Amino acid sequence: GAVVSQHPSRVICKSGTSVKIECRSLDFQATTMFWYRQFPKKSLMLMATSNEGSKATYEQGVEKDKFLINHASLTLSTLTVTSAHPEDSSFYICSAPGMTGAANYGYTFGSGTRLTVV
Amino acid sequence: AQKITQTQPGMFVQEKEAVTLDCTYDTSDPSYGLFWYKQPSSGEMIFLIYQGSYDQQNATEGRYSLNFQKARKSANLVISASQLGDSAMYFCAMREDTGRRALTFGSGTRLQVQP
């Protein structure tokens, strides 16, 4: 079935540095990738939608300059948290609309990245 | 306005018993899809069950069934014969078939299965 590989699964970085999270579709082409953020014991909140070949669409309240999203190819979307601060610590997870008719009805999730900024 | 509402922050159930997790939704789109996901402590999102807005019958997937009441805009998940491994967070989500088609998630219900 459709697989989205997300890396890293866990990262600890120093305040002020940047962190890049990759989501790669392994056996299908993902022209769209949804990026979610999840605080501990909270729901998944949509941050932005990346589209191959065009600019990402950000949700209201999400800082475009802090959360840089790039969809470089049909199989790779990246989220870069720039100048990270402790309040950026969170669980980030990507999701790609997969194949119509797939058993999961079209949404394939990465395994998530737990970011801790110290 | 909140589109997906899960009113049960936490639920307990005895092993082998059935449990219902509530979900109500709000949309003006006539075409939409409703999903339930399980999220264990590892964080991965595990797809459980799907119900399309035009589906006449309630969806079932093994021990999972979805009690879809369209007029009430509810899509409750029923887990039968609970197992210890069912302990996790459960999220209800909706896809509206206009616009970007991203999933909107409810706040989740933490289910704990007791032996």
Side-chain angles (χ1 to χ4, degrees):
Chain A
V3 175
V4 170
S5 176
Q6 183 170 348
H7 292 282
S9 58
R10 191 179 294 267
V11 59
I12 300 172
C13 71
K14 290 185 177 180
S15 193
T17 62
S18 295
V19 173
K20 180 184 281 188
I21 301 168
E22 289 190 352
C23 279
R24 196 176 295 271
S25 57
L26 297 186
D27 48 5
F28 68 102
Q29 293 182 336
T31 56
T32 297
M33 190 74 73
F34 301 114
W35 287 91
Y36 293 88
R37 179 176 183 176
Q38 185 181 27
F39 289 105
K41 300 183 181 181
K42 296 293 184 182
S43 185
L44 282 74
M45 301 300 294
L46 182 67
M47 298 175 63
T49 304
S50 72
N51 297 288
E52 191 271 337
S54 63
K55 288 185 178 180
T57 304
Y58 290 82
E59 296 301 301
Q60 193 172 9
V62 176
E63 298 177 62
K64 300 178 183 181
D65 294 334
K66 167 165 277 295
F67 300 101
L68 299 180
I69 290 175
N70 185 34
H71 203 124
S73 72
L74 289 172
T75 58
L76 177 64
S77 177
T78 60
L79 164 66
T80 302
V81 183
T82 63
S83 186
H85 290 285
E87 57 265 30
D88 298 325
S89 298
S90 195
F91 187 69
Y92 295 88
I93 192 165
C94 60
S95 172
M99 299 175 286
T100 302
N104 60 5
Y105 289 89
Y107 292 90
T108 302
F109 284 84
S111 53
T113 297
R114 201 166 299 279
L115 170 64
T116 303
V117 184
V118 298
Chain B
Q2 193 167 6
K3 291 193 171 185
I4 297 284
T5 302
Q6 294 180 254
T7 58
Q8 305 155 313
M11 290 281 285
F12 289 90
V13 65
Q14 290 292 123
E15 196 177 5
K16 299 180 185 177
E17 292 189 350
V19 63
T20 298
L21 306 184
D22 294 341
C23 173
T24 58
Y25 61 92
D26 184 31
T27 180
S28 56
D29 195 330
S31 179
Y32 52 90
L34 296 160
F35 298 73
W36 276 93
Y37 288 90
K38 173 184 179 180
Q39 187 182 44
S41 56
S42 61
E44 61 183 310
M45 297 296 285
I46 301 170
F47 167 77
L48 297 178
I49 198 166
Y50 168 83
Q51 180 85 42
S53 59
Y54 294 117
D55 293 341
Q56 296 294 316
Q57 296 197 338
N58 287 343
T60 60
E61 290 283 351
R63 293 188 298 113
Y64 305 107
S65 59
L66 199 152
N67 184 0
F68 181 45
Q69 299 192 33
K70 195 170 182 177
R72 290 187 174 184
K73 294 188 175 179
S74 74
N76 298 340
L77 176 70
V78 180
I79 305 175
S80 63
S82 296
Q83 302 171 355
L84 294 177
D86 293 336
S87 295
M89 279 292 288
Y90 288 80
F91 290 99
C92 180
M94 178 173 66
R95 177 205 71 224
E96 292 173 294
D97 289 340
T98 54
R100 62 179 182 266
R101 298 171 63 88
L103 293 176
T104 301
F105 288 86
S107 55
T109 296
R110 179 165 296 281
L111 177 66
Q112 295 186 60
V113 181
Q114 297 176 319

